[in-house]
Amino acid sequence: MNNSATTRTITKIALEYNGNDQGTAEMISSNCLLSSTPEGQYLEMKTVSERNPNVKKWALTGYISQPDEIGNKLKDEEFAEIATKALDKIGVTNKNQYRLDIHNSTKHKHIHFVVNRIDISGKCTVKSHDIGKRFGDAVREVCKERGLLTDIEIGIQKKAEMLKSLTEAIRSENNFDDLILAMKKKGYEIQWS
C-alpha cells in the first residue's frame, strides 16, 4: 500500500482535481462541509483556516493506494474507513473539515484526501513535523488492525518472489542473454547498471 501526506497551502484546484480524476472520481466522504462543489468547499476551508493566522500551510493533502489484489476486494466505504482511521491517528478530529475521493483512472484504485488542519474552533490539530512518516505509520497500523498487508510486507513478498524467479532462471540458463529472456517471460526486466 502506497501512501503520501504533506502539508501545504492549496487553491480550489486541489479540490477540483480530487473531485474529478478524468471524470472517474467519486466523493466518498466529507466532514464539516456544507457546499457540494469543490469551489464552495475550498471557500469554506479557507475561511476556517483564517481562524488561525499562525498556520500558513493549513491543508493536509495526500493519498492511499492499495495494490490490485487488495484494492479490488475493498469496498469504497472500507477504503474510506482506512483513510479516516489513519487521519484520526495523526490528529484529525470530528471538527476538522475534509473531503475523501476515490479515484479509478489509474491501474490501482486509490483514495485522495484534502483536510483542513485548522478545526472549526481555530485550533491546528494536525502537526506538520514528520507528517509523511507519521501518516505512513498510521496507515500501516490501520492495515495491520484490519489484517491487510502493508506496503513494507508487500515489498518483502515481491522481493522474495523476484529472488526465487532469478534463482530458478540462473540454474536453468547457460548464458546471460537466455537469462534475460527467461526473466522477461516471468515478468521481470534486467538492466545493466
Side-chain angles (χ1 to χ4, degrees):
M1 170 179 325
N2 290 327
N3 60 76
S4 173
T6 186
T7 58
R8 60 191 184 127
T9 302
I10 63 167
T11 65
K12 69 177 183 172
I13 294 169
L15 288 166
E16 287 170 348
Y17 169 78
N18 274 24
N20 186 346
D21 187 40
Q22 302 173 19
T24 68
E26 179 184 349
M27 186 174 77
I28 195 72
S29 182
S30 67
N31 192 56
C32 294
L33 293 169
L34 300 173
S35 178
S36 60
T37 67
E39 183 175 8
Q41 291 173 345
Y42 166 75
L43 292 172
E44 289 179 48
M45 288 180 143
K46 182 70 175 142
T47 300
V48 169
S49 74
E50 290 168 352
R51 293 180 180 170
N52 190 330
N54 297 327
V55 178
K56 302 301 179 212
K57 295 180 179 181
W58 55 268
L60 173 70
T61 63
Y63 69 89
I64 300 173
S65 175
Q66 295 278 14
D68 287 342
E69 56 270 17
I70 297 172
N72 291 339
K73 294 176 187 172
L74 286 177
K75 295 177 184 167
D76 290 351
E77 295 78 21
E78 293 173 307
F79 219 156
E81 190 175 314
I82 290 168
T84 54
K85 285 188 176 190
L87 290 168
D88 287 348
K89 289 180 182 289
I90 61 165
V92 175
T93 71
N94 62 354
K95 293 182 176 183
N96 288 88
Q97 298 166 308
Y98 64 78
R99 176 185 173 125
L100 305 176
D101 293 279
I102 296 282
H103 286 197
N104 293 296
S105 68
T106 62
K107 70 178 190 175
H108 298 299
K109 178 166 90 171
H110 56 286
I111 190 165
H112 280 265
F113 56 86
V114 176
V115 177
N116 193 342
R117 296 173 54 214
I118 311 304
D119 72 8
I120 57 176
S121 303
K123 179 181 177 189
C124 182
T125 65
V126 181
K127 305 304 174 209
S128 63
H129 181 71
D130 284 338
I131 190 61
K133 180 189 179 314
R134 291 188 302 114
F135 183 70
D137 292 345
V139 170
R140 287 181 203 99
E141 190 177 323
V142 171
C143 285
K144 284 182 180 181
E145 290 169 2
R146 297 181 63 96
L148 299 173
L149 293 176
T150 67
D151 54 342
I152 294 170
E153 293 165 334
I154 291 167
I156 290 169
Q157 279 184 350
K158 288 185 177 184
K159 285 179 185 176
E161 291 168 11
M162 182 183 66
L163 180 59
K164 180 181 178 213
S165 294
L166 181 60
T167 303
E168 290 170 357
I170 288 173
R171 287 184 180 148
S172 66
E173 303 305 331
N174 296 325
N175 62 56
F176 194 69
D177 289 335
D178 291 342
L179 175 69
I180 291 173
L181 287 174
M183 288 301 286
K184 188 171 187 168
K185 287 178 186 174
K186 295 180 183 216
Y188 297 100
E189 182 181 335
I190 295 180
Q191 294 180 348
W192 283 101
S193 63

